[in-house]
Amino acid sequence: MLGILVAVIVGAWAALAQQVVDQSGREVSLPEAVTRVASVYGVATPYFYAFGAADLLVGARYLGLPDSPVGVSVMRRIDPNFELKAFPGEVGVETILALQANLVLLGPRHRELGAQLGDVGIASVVYAPETPQLIKEAIFLTGKLLGREDHARELWAFGETILQAAEKTAEALVLEARPRVMFVGTNPLRVPGKEMYQTHLIALAGGLSVSQDLRGSWQTISPEQILAWDPEVIVIAPYGPVQPETFASDPVFSSLTAVRTGRVFKMPQILFSWDTPIPESALGILWLAELLHPGRIGLDLVEMISTFYRRFYGVDLAEEELNIVRRFP
């Protein structure tokens, strides 16, 4: 009788250990062992790479990577097979079944796909990080999925070092010392609203986002609105065709303070995009803080980047790759 009771208790504990709550609030029953993972949400993919779990990915979206020659070169050293894993278009249940995935990483807009996967008995978890706190939650969610919570603590501690230094630096600034910053996406009129991570990134780096009062996510605005904002600094997303010359060569924007003072920058990209809510984005905060307030944060940008890539991606960066982030005017 005692043996039966012990078996019941152990079985109940094992069942409980296979439950996680994802970032949509769903309670998910995980497979006994996570062995084949498909990531249909580009933001979720970097979390698995930051845990050294490339071997588990059988299909994935690679956020901003295909358009970055440097990113592709670095990723080939981390995961030589990543191009064979990349999803070319929209992903349906049939694709997941063909890959024999037993866990699927979803984003907030994949609710219908999540339901369909549930109907065929495939577990899925939703990632929805848009703030530093939610990035922390996503890191620890990944740790639970992989049974590597010690690694999650180490990964978050690295990012937290940058966050704390950035917050301390930003808090010491008077309001007037925070430059007005406009972040630009895939065209010169596309800017993030207050719900987007890019807005948090600017604030953490000691800037004031000119688009922080816009509702929602990405918004398309008019040239007149940009002229009214008159940003002191323009930062362009690492993905997409927009370049500093896009603004410098356009007579409409010639009067902008950022253009007149030569403070229009393309954010660098070494692997994934630093303006997105992923573990690596802590480096984006550090880069932007160094750009806006040189030397004040007290951390060595190049050393922190090298350390992150070596410790969490298992790759040593070449000098020419590190030179991308050394190009401050």
Side-chain angles (χ1 to χ4, degrees), residues 3 15 40 52 62 72 97 150 163 174 194-195 213 228 246 278 283 285 294 302 306 328:
V40 302
Y62 292 89
V72 169
L97 287 169
D150 286 347
L163 285 172
V174 295
K194 62 182 178 181
E195 296 175 12
D213 293 327
T246 306
I278 60 177
L283 303 174
I285 295 169
V302 173
S306 298
F328 286 105

Side-chain angles (χ1 to χ4, degrees), residues 22-93:
D22 71 12
Q23 291 197 285
S24 71
R26 295 186 311 156
E27 191 172 90
V28 179
S29 296
L30 298 177
E32 212 170 294
V34 173
T35 55
R36 297 179 65 83
V37 180
S39 174
V40 302
Y41 185 41
V43 169
T45 303
Y47 285 84
F48 267 60
Y49 278 99
F51 275 75
D55 59 315
L56 298 182
L57 289 168
V58 294
R61 289 203 178 282
Y62 292 89
L63 196 66
L65 195 57
D67 298 326
S68 169
V70 174
V72 169
S73 175
V74 173
M75 179 56 87
R76 283 174 179 161
R77 304 204 305 269
I78 297 170
D79 183 1
N81 298 315
F82 92 93
E83 286 159 301
L84 299 175
K85 300 176 182 179
F87 290 129
E90 286 300 313
V91 180
V93 175

Side-chain angles (χ1 to χ4, degrees), residues 191-195 210-217 219 221 229:
V191 298
K194 62 182 178 181
E195 296 175 12
V210 296
S211 61
Q212 65 184 355
D213 293 327
L214 297 181
R215 293 184 178 181
S217 54
Q219 303 290 323
I221 56 170
W229 281 335

Side-chain angles (χ1 to χ4, degrees), residues 181 183 198 201-207 233 235 265 267 274 283-294 301 328:
V181 180
F183 197 94
Q198 290 83 357
L201 187 149
I202 291 170
L204 286 164
V233 180
V235 177
F265 307 95
M267 179 177 270
W274 287 351
L283 303 174
I285 295 169
L286 180 55
W287 175 84
L288 186 54
E290 190 64 24
L291 177 71
L292 300 180
H293 308 286
L301 174 63
F328 286 105

Side-chain angles (χ1 to χ4, degrees), residues 10 22 31 46 49 55 62 75 99 133 175 182-183 197 199 212 244 253 256 259 285 298 300 309 317:
V10 170
D22 71 12
Y49 278 99
D55 59 315
Y62 292 89
M75 179 56 87
L99 290 171
Q133 180 59 35
L175 190 62
M182 182 174 75
F183 197 94
Y197 182 64
T199 301
Q212 65 184 355
F253 299 123
L256 291 178
V259 174
I285 295 169
D300 187 302
Y309 275 76
L317 296 176

Side-chain angles (χ1 to χ4, degrees), residues 8 72 74 96 104 117 173 186 216 225 238 256 267 289 297 303 312:
V8 170
V72 169
V74 173
I96 303 300
V104 181
L117 291 168
L173 298 169
T186 51
Q225 178 62 76
L256 291 178
M267 179 177 270
I297 198 168
E303 182 181 331
F312 300 110

